Amino acid sequence: MYGRSRINLAQWRVREWAMTAMAFVVICFVLLTAGRGLASGAVGEVLRVRLGGDSEHTRIVLDLDRTSRGQVIQPGDNGRVVLSLAGVSPGRGLNGRGTGLVRGWRVTGAGATSRVELDLATSAEIERRFLLPPGDGIGHFRYVIDLKAVGRAPTARPPRAPSTSSRRADRPNTRPLIFIDAGHGGRDPGATGAESRESAITLAAALDLKRELEGTGRYRVRLTRDSDTYVALYRRVAIARQADADLFISLHADAGADPATRGASVYTLSEQGAGRAVREFTRGENWHRSLNLPGRDPSVDRILLDMTQRATQNRSAQLARTLLGELEGADHPMLRRSHRDAGLAVLLAPDVPAVLLEMGFITNPEDERLLNDSRARRRLMRAVAEGIDRYFREPSGTLQMASVGGAQGQP
């Protein structure tokens, strides 16, 4: 018995030494790997700095070859914005002349921390900042800083995207142009109910909405179609952009497998759809011309396009909220999740706020009856017109811009 205990004790000591030796090997490997990483420059570096924007909003993009976390040191006091970026070195240092709200900039620092200094041309503050990982054809990280001017009175109507501001500068009192898109038409009848086709319902609703809006005397209104004709989806968006529309609303009637499903909903562009829109608009060599961008620096034009599209998405979301509020206030039946997003073709314009309104389910008997009842349909379109009115009355300062590419928070 005693001899067996001595054998067990010896075996336990052998196992203990083996485990200690293995732990020592693992620690050495980790230290060696870390040492190689430091020797190879794994700390990262600021590759370049890009700026775009105007005297109201300016975006600064820092291209990084490693991830980083930023910290605000000076938020805009005394005419300067200063941030530190951990995990990336400034290399030999970068500096340059600014644009918009930034008079000049530089990247300094030492070791594994960079210091970003922005000299402001006028009073401004950080609106948001975020980190974008590699993706969508871009192989490096991007740290984005958005500045906004402070101490300015809000404009009476939502600001136009940069692509159209120059075209409206010489006619500031022009009434907003609303484009109404009657979904489907011609060889595309859309969904079918027990007694009607979607294309006929959307056209009748579009004509009702046109009368409601024109009756206020505050808007110019055009239709993508005014008869039972087919218009390609991309053509609908193109004619609205060519006309310099201030708003685009596409009317539809939903359909579902369950006849009990009913209620209205509003769609705005999804983040995936936003990426698709950028790819669509940057295919050709002269894509910047369609957005009235400078065209001197493709990277700056891309920043301006991102800013234009983000502002448009925010205004579209604001329009969706006002429409849903008016529809609910009018006791119109609503889906439980009534604000939805998708990459629908009619929502892809980067410079025209757009929503798609599903007025109800044509496959639901009660919804179909309401959509075909001229008095009920006019009440619905009156609520839509009031939502559009409210959208143009609300100051643009209430908009809160989201981050590009779905990145959230402040790293």
Side-chain angles (χ1 to χ4, degrees):
M1 193 76 174
Y2 177 73
R4 184 178 301 172
S5 297
R6 292 181 64 185
I7 293 172
N8 290 341
L9 179 60
Q11 290 175 341
W12 178 82
R13 285 177 174 172
V14 169
R15 285 198 297 269
E16 184 181 32
W17 279 105
M19 293 175 65
T20 302
M22 183 177 296
F24 178 75
V25 171
V26 170
I27 291 172
C28 289
F29 177 77
V30 170
L31 292 174
L32 179 62
T33 302
R36 287 178 177 174
L38 290 172
S40 64
V43 167
E45 189 173 311
V46 179
L47 302 176
R48 65 171 178 164
V49 179
R50 298 175 285 141
L51 292 87
D54 54 27
S55 59
E56 293 286 344
H57 294 88
T58 300
R59 169 165 290 181
I60 302 92
V61 180
L62 294 101
D63 293 333
L64 315 173
D65 63 358
R66 294 289 188 279
T67 186
S68 178
R69 185 170 185 83
Q71 180 179 359
V72 176
I73 299 174
Q74 194 167 328
D77 305 336
N78 301 320
R80 295 179 76 206
V81 169
V82 181
L83 298 93
S84 67
L85 293 179
V88 289
S89 74
R92 298 180 179 178
L94 300 168
N95 63 82
R97 296 178 60 184
T99 188
L101 295 170
V102 179
R103 185 174 66 251
W105 59 269
R106 55 195 162 275
V107 180
T108 61
T113 301
S114 293
R115 179 183 172 96
V116 181
E117 301 178 359
L118 308 173
D119 295 326
L120 302 179
T122 185
S123 297
E125 65 183 11
I126 297 174
E127 186 173 26
R128 63 195 179 283
R129 54 193 178 89
F130 50 91
L131 181 74
L132 291 173
D136 196 20
I138 298 175
H140 55 263
F141 290 86
R142 289 155 290 163
Y143 195 91
V144 181
I145 305 165
D146 282 340
L147 302 179
K148 68 174 181 179
V150 296
R152 296 170 183 258
T155 55
R157 53 183 286 197
R160 289 306 308 252
S163 61
T164 56
S165 59
S166 60
R167 285 182 283 170
R168 290 193 177 272
D170 58 343
R171 46 190 178 98
N173 297 319
T174 300
R175 293 173 299 162
L177 173 60
I178 314 298
F179 250 85
I180 305 172
D181 174 45
H184 306 282
R187 66 173 186 264
D188 175 19
T192 303
E195 300 178 355
S196 55
R197 297 186 304 178
E198 182 181 4
S199 58
I201 289 175
T202 59
L203 180 58
L207 293 171
D208 287 340
L209 181 56
K210 183 175 186 290
R211 281 191 291 268
E212 289 290 339
L213 290 171
E214 288 180 335
T216 69
R218 290 187 287 273
Y219 307 103
R220 295 170 296 136
V221 185
R222 290 179 59 180
L223 303 176
T224 56
R225 68 180 183 96
D226 57 8
S227 61
D228 188 22
T229 55
Y230 174 79
V231 182
L233 294 177
Y234 288 103
R235 178 61 186 157
R236 298 170 192 243
V237 176
I239 59 177
R241 292 191 66 243
Q242 290 167 5
D244 197 17
D246 292 89
L247 187 150
F248 183 95
I249 179 168
S250 187
L251 302 178
H252 287 258
D254 218 334
D258 184 0
T261 304
R262 66 176 305 201
S265 60
V266 177
Y267 282 83
T268 52
L269 186 64
S270 65
E271 290 298 333
Q272 292 80 6
R276 174 187 167 193
V278 168
R279 290 190 293 273
E280 289 289 337
F281 276 87
T282 56
R283 277 181 178 174
E285 293 182 1
N286 298 317
W287 61 269
H288 57 275
R289 291 182 180 174
S290 67
L291 294 165
N292 280 359
L293 299 177
R296 292 186 293 271
D297 185 336
S299 63
V300 172
D301 281 348
R302 179 60 183 264
I303 293 173
L304 293 174
L305 173 58
D306 286 343
M307 294 179 69
T308 298
Q309 185 184 58
R310 182 54 52 184
T312 299
Q313 283 183 265
N314 290 327
R315 293 200 294 274
S316 299
Q318 183 193 21
L319 173 60
R321 289 191 295 270
T322 61
L323 288 178
L324 290 170
E326 293 297 332
L327 294 180
E328 290 170 356
D331 293 326
H332 187 75
M334 307 293 293
L335 276 178
R336 179 173 297 179
R337 188 170 68 87
S338 53
H339 188 178
R340 300 170 173 242
D341 61 1
L344 304 171
V346 292
L347 302 177
L348 293 181
D351 51 354
V352 180
V355 298
L356 184 146
L357 170 62
E358 295 279 10
M359 300 177 289
F361 278 74
I362 197 173
T363 48
N364 175 271
E366 185 60 19
D367 273 4
E368 184 182 19
R369 184 190 67 78
L370 289 173
L371 292 175
N372 281 287
D373 182 286
S374 59
R375 294 181 63 183
R377 193 177 57 243
R378 282 197 297 272
R379 283 196 301 271
L380 172 61
M381 291 301 103
R382 191 171 301 121
V384 173
E386 289 170 356
I388 291 172
D389 241 2
R390 201 174 113 207
Y391 163 79
F392 281 102
R393 285 198 309 269
E394 289 184 353
S396 60
T398 62
L399 292 173
Q400 293 188 359
M401 299 180 73
S403 58
V404 175
Q408 300 283 342
Q410 295 189 345

